[in-house]
Amino acid sequence: MTALEIAVTSVDGARAARTGGATRVELCSALEVGGITPSQGLVEAVLDEVGGSEADDGWQGVHVLVRPRPGGFSYSLEERDLLRREVDMILEAGADGIVIGALTPHGEPDVELVRQLAEEAAAYEATVTFHRAVDLSADPIAAVRALAGVVDRVLTSGGAPTAAAGASTIAAMVAVEGPDILAGGGVGVGSIETLTALGVEGVHLSAKRRVTTASRLALGDADDGGHWQTDPAVVAAAAAALGLSRG
């Protein structure tokens, strides 16, 4: 059965995802910039609320994005150290998986760094997803080959702005003998059937809606007084499209 992964940024969002029938969540902060590592407090609170994969109802638990900053995926020595520290924090908290990604300056997967982080995850029996950094790589299909035996799955839009637009590349990635392929990027309920037909392990949705409150003062360039929330109706519709439910 095709998995449903929902990207969430809050305890409420994680609860809505699990209640609505999602298979697992990817927890992050700042979806406005593509997501960054959430705080330790948020990781712990979400795990307390929705639990890990020890449940017997098909729930695969909380998978946490580890990304120290927005803007590219080639990291300095200091940022590489930060990635390791954040991975350790997340795994110690009890996360079921980590979501990571790094590229060399030439646009290839930084397999050395990814392998180091994956080995740390393996010690905790946590799974590893290589995130959409793959879509900025020089050759996404070759990247999947390079990641074989290193990560469990690759989240991708097939190098296109949306997964639906990158469907042909996603199909080619599925055909590679390597990690499972998780289709994500602009996925709506209407595109789920097309994507599942490609043979992907799962589909990834943000299932979000923008909530804006009146504010007389912007505290940053991107501050419009609003934030993203998980929309329970979208989660439920996506779960229904995949034949998933959780009572």
Side-chain angles (χ1 to χ4, degrees):
M1 183 173 289
T2 306
L4 174 61
E5 180 176 282
I6 303 294
V8 303
T9 60
S10 67
V11 174
D12 287 345
R15 184 190 307 114
R18 180 162 191 186
T19 301
T23 308
R24 58 180 177 258
V25 295
E26 180 197 309
L27 177 64
C28 64
S29 289
L31 274 174
E32 296 84 351
V33 293
I36 58 173
T37 309
S39 71
Q40 181 172 354
L42 179 56
V43 173
E44 292 174 352
V46 167
L47 285 165
D48 286 346
E49 177 64 28
V50 300
S53 60
E54 67 277 0
D56 61 2
D57 59 355
W59 175 243
Q60 295 177 12
V62 180
H63 299 241
V64 182
L65 177 66
V66 188
R67 186 186 180 203
R69 58 157 171 82
F73 300 100
S74 181
Y75 296 115
S76 68
L77 289 176
E78 292 79 8
E79 289 168 334
R80 294 163 80 90
D81 179 64
L82 180 56
L83 277 164
R84 296 184 186 97
R85 290 172 183 264
E86 290 183 331
V87 164
D88 286 344
M89 176 272 290
I90 289 161
L91 294 171
E92 286 284 350
D96 296 282
I98 56 173
V99 183
I100 59 176
L103 301 175
T104 69
H106 301 292
E108 300 165 342
D110 189 337
V111 176
E112 178 184 359
L113 175 57
V114 172
R115 190 184 299 278
Q116 291 171 1
L117 301 177
E119 287 174 352
E120 183 70 13
Y124 287 82
E125 298 184 349
T127 66
V128 180
T129 302
F130 191 95
H131 58 51
R132 289 191 59 205
V134 71
D135 294 321
L136 297 180
S137 66
D139 184 338
I141 297 172
V144 172
R145 293 194 183 96
L147 292 165
V150 181
V151 303
D152 297 288
R153 66 182 67 85
V154 173
L155 170 62
T156 182
S157 64
T162 67
S168 61
T169 300
I170 292 174
M173 296 165 90
V174 169
V176 172
E177 188 165 343
D180 288 336
I181 301 301
L182 175 64
V187 175
V189 174
S191 60
I192 286 177
E193 183 177 358
T194 297
L195 294 171
T196 57
L198 303 176
V200 296
E201 178 265 348
V203 293
H204 169 103
L205 288 76
S206 56
K208 63 184 185 294
R209 63 185 177 194
R210 189 72 172 167
V211 178
T212 304
T213 56
S215 176
R216 66 180 183 83
L217 180 66
L219 300 181
D221 291 341
D223 181 18
D224 65 355
H227 62 280
W228 293 106
Q229 286 185 348
T230 303
D231 188 333
V234 176
V235 175
L242 290 166
L244 301 170
S245 64
R246 185 166 288 106

